Amino acid sequence: QVQLVESGGGLVQSGGSLRLSCAASGRTISDLKMGWFRQALGKEREFVAAITPSGDRTFYRDPVKGRFTISRDNAKNTVDLQMNSLKPEDTAIYYCVGGVLTVASWDFWGQGTQVTVSS
């Protein structure tokens, strides 16, 4: 079992930056795909970004491409999401997630961290 704890959320002005961090415990995440989802108030949870176990490939939803960067440090058991040029529509609770590479689902979820972007 993996426990995921997010940090780094907060309030930022439009155009600003935030860096979210996810600390994993319980087992190594080096063999897991890792990612970030988000859920805005009144909306469904949506995929944001993902990274393969080795970090050699990354994936992003179209609206965040070029602005967000996902990275991982398997030695530290951490995953980060660098968010630049933030927009009010990026406001949401952001969740760190993990899962088995060969399975479509995400089995491990953090509690989430709030990101609020003011206009």
Side-chain angles (χ1 to χ4, degrees):
Q1 192 74 357
V2 177
Q3 291 78 46
L4 303 173
V5 178
E6 304 92 339
S7 62
L11 173 64
V12 64
Q13 288 188 335
S14 181
S17 299
L18 279 176
R19 188 177 184 88
L20 304 183
S21 294
C22 174
S25 61
R27 75 187 282 290
T28 179
I29 61 170
S30 60
D31 61 334
L32 299 177
K33 63 181 182 183
M34 298 297 294
W36 292 87
F37 277 65
R38 68 185 182 187
Q39 187 169 20
L41 191 63
K43 295 187 177 181
E44 293 188 354
R45 195 170 293 182
E46 62 184 19
F47 167 80
V48 176
I51 187 167
T52 51
S54 66
D56 62 332
R57 295 186 68 187
T58 57
F59 308 88
Y60 301 92
R61 69 179 298 105
D62 284 346
V64 309
K65 284 181 180 177
R67 300 189 297 123
F68 290 12
T69 303
I70 187 171
S71 61
R72 66 190 296 160
D73 186 333
N74 287 339
K76 295 181 178 180
N77 237 27
T78 59
V79 180
D80 289 347
L81 183 68
Q82 177 66 43
M83 306 185 294
N84 298 328
S85 302
L86 283 163
K87 304 175 181 180
E89 51 263 43
D90 294 318
T91 295
I93 299 174
Y94 283 71
Y95 299 89
C96 178
V97 298
V100 177
L101 181 62
T102 55
V103 177
S105 62
W106 296 89
D107 299 317
F108 310 112
W109 290 75
Q111 293 298 307
T113 185
Q114 176 70 49
V115 171
T116 303
V117 185
S118 63
S119 57

